Amino acid sequence: MGISPMIGSTEIDLALGTNSELAMLLAAMAYAVALVVFTLDLVRSSRTVQELEQSLLAQEDKELVGVGGAVRVSKGARSATARGGAAAQSGTAGTGGTGAGDDASSGTAPRVRHGNAEVDGQLVDDSMDYTRGAPRRGLARVAISLMALAAVIHLAAVIMRSIAAGRVPWGNMYEFLTTGALIVAVVFLVALIFKDIRFMGVFVSALVVVMMCAATMGFPTPVQPLQPALQSPWLIIHVSIAVLSSALFTLTFAMAVLQLIQSYRQKALIQGKPDRLPLMRLVPSATSLENVAYRINALAFVGWSITLILGAVWAEAAWGRYWGWDVKEVWTFIIWVIYAGYLHARATRGWTGNRSAWLSIVGYACVVFNFTAVNIIFPGLHSYAGT
């Protein structure tokens, strides 16, 4: 009789673990549907932007017909003349930078003039608030609702996993990826309360789907106890801060990619070339993306610094030394150096524009390498994280 409660508890844990995995799959499916809806929204919004421009051009044609048969100017000539004059709009340096001028992202978004009608290079201003001329984007609201539903299911799955394991749910790669994906989604949804960053929906939902698929297919791990080195209160503090910092780095990576795309597009507009990516009008200017990414990277860097320090304290408690040149420790420090260089170069050396975006992307590539290849391929004291 005395053993039956233990057996019942074990059965409950197994059921919770199974239900957690099923909920993870359901959340991944909901994220995937949100990704599809976000993509459809961009396609539809792009068409709406093009229709808006065509209506402005049609209105302009009527205005150019003067009394007594005024001369009509072709739309191509008007557009080329207008875009050529957009360069005057690119001279204002962004907040927090020195205006290096290495690309079009060193200034405000160009405005394309078609005769008497003026079409914004963007339909979202630098405050990340949509202008009255922007599409209503009903599909984007549906996608956000789907992503919120997925996050609720995802949170329930993580909680069930934690209860089944009797510990925090980030003791291996499966748990780290699933928990990290949840934090990325939650950070995105919370940020939407303060800023209209629906333009990042495709990137964020895609990254979350990739993380969920990698966890489910690449690192399927049943509920199991922690290895002795991980059985410490430092696990809760150290790894949770690392996961949160990585989630913030994920958002800035998406912003850096969008910044590069927007920068090349703005440069093409200034040179008088046609707008081949009208959907990017739903994205803020490259300067705005760069400035926001810089602030988020600064916050994430503080978290990563705390992660590095607490990791050293935990290493001393677990292995009797603060630093042992373990592969994981080295790469954590390399990431810290890269982002420290990014912040220093942008703040004091004028590394604005595309150079800062590329440096941020390199930093995030190192983060991904640290939490995948280092954990799986390289032997070391942290190799348990790959199981």
Side-chain angles (χ1 to χ4, degrees), residues 16-368:
L16 283 174
T18 302
N19 292 334
S20 172
E21 293 175 359
L22 292 175
M24 290 289 185
L25 291 174
L26 183 59
M29 292 174 60
Y31 285 128
V33 175
L35 170 60
V36 172
V37 178
F38 269 123
T39 304
L40 291 175
D41 166 69
L42 284 182
V43 173
R44 174 181 289 185
S45 299
S46 176
R47 292 175 181 172
T48 303
V49 169
Q50 290 175 316
E51 292 171 359
L52 173 63
E53 182 173 352
Q54 293 299 322
S55 65
L56 288 173
L57 289 173
Q59 180 182 359
E60 175 196 358
D61 286 341
K62 296 179 181 179
E63 293 175 352
L64 286 176
V65 180
V67 178
V71 177
R72 296 172 61 91
V73 184
S74 69
K75 287 191 282 187
R78 294 196 304 270
S79 300
T81 303
R83 293 190 187 99
Q89 298 289 336
S90 63
T92 306
T95 304
T98 59
D102 60 324
D103 51 56
S105 68
S106 62
T108 58
R111 296 171 65 85
V112 183
R113 177 175 293 280
H114 297 273
N116 295 328
E118 190 175 62
V119 180
D120 285 321
Q122 267 69 20
L123 291 175
V124 54
D125 59 24
D126 287 347
S127 299
M128 295 190 181
D129 293 324
Y130 283 87
T131 62
R132 285 181 294 179
R136 298 186 63 179
R137 303 189 66 184
L139 282 177
R141 291 193 290 270
V142 174
I144 292 170
S145 299
L146 286 170
M147 200 161 184
L149 176 62
V152 171
I153 299 172
H154 195 169
L155 176 61
V158 170
I159 293 175
M160 285 190 289
R161 177 85 177 192
S162 178
I163 296 174
R167 54 174 172 78
V168 291
W170 46 73
N172 48 62
M173 279 297 294
Y174 174 86
E175 295 174 353
F176 182 87
L177 283 170
T178 52
T179 304
L182 174 63
I183 294 179
V184 170
V186 169
V187 168
F188 172 70
L189 292 171
V190 171
L192 279 169
I193 300 175
F194 304 98
K195 293 292 182 181
D196 198 340
I197 57 172
R198 290 177 292 178
F199 61 88
M200 291 182 58
V202 171
F203 275 85
V204 173
S205 57
L207 287 170
V208 170
V209 169
V210 169
M211 293 174 72
M212 295 291 284
C213 291
T216 304
M217 295 185 291
F219 307 99
T221 307
V223 176
Q224 58 188 18
L226 292 175
Q227 294 196 16
L230 289 177
Q231 296 175 5
S232 169
W234 287 111
L235 174 68
I236 301 175
I237 305 173
H238 170 72
V239 181
S240 61
I241 297 176
V243 173
L244 179 59
S245 300
S246 300
L248 294 175
F249 285 140
T250 300
L251 292 180
T252 58
F253 163 73
M255 288 185 177
V257 173
L258 288 172
Q259 177 190 335
L260 290 175
I261 298 173
Q262 191 69 286
S263 173
Y264 291 125
R265 171 181 170 268
Q266 290 177 193
K267 187 175 182 180
L269 288 178
I270 291 173
Q271 293 174 348
K273 298 179 181 179
D275 190 357
R276 300 187 182 278
L277 290 172
L279 62 88
M280 291 299 292
R281 294 188 187 180
L282 302 170
V283 179
S285 66
T287 300
S288 179
L289 290 168
E290 179 186 354
N291 292 335
V292 174
Y294 174 75
R295 298 186 187 100
I296 297 176
N297 272 330
L299 177 62
F301 176 76
V302 174
W304 196 258
S305 300
I306 296 174
T307 298
L308 187 62
I309 294 171
L310 294 182
V313 174
W314 189 6
E316 196 279 332
W319 302 310
R321 86 291 187 281
Y322 290 99
W323 189 265
W325 295 102
D326 183 72
V327 180
K328 187 77 168 181
E329 296 170 346
V330 171
W331 274 95
T332 301
F333 181 69
I334 289 174
I335 293 168
W336 185 89
V337 170
I338 291 175
Y339 279 103
Y342 161 85
L343 296 173
H344 176 76
R346 191 183 183 281
T348 64
R349 304 296 298 176
W351 268 48
T352 57
N354 289 353
R355 290 183 296 182
S356 67
W358 279 115
L359 194 54
S360 179
I361 291 173
V362 169
Y364 186 71
C366 292
V367 171
V368 174

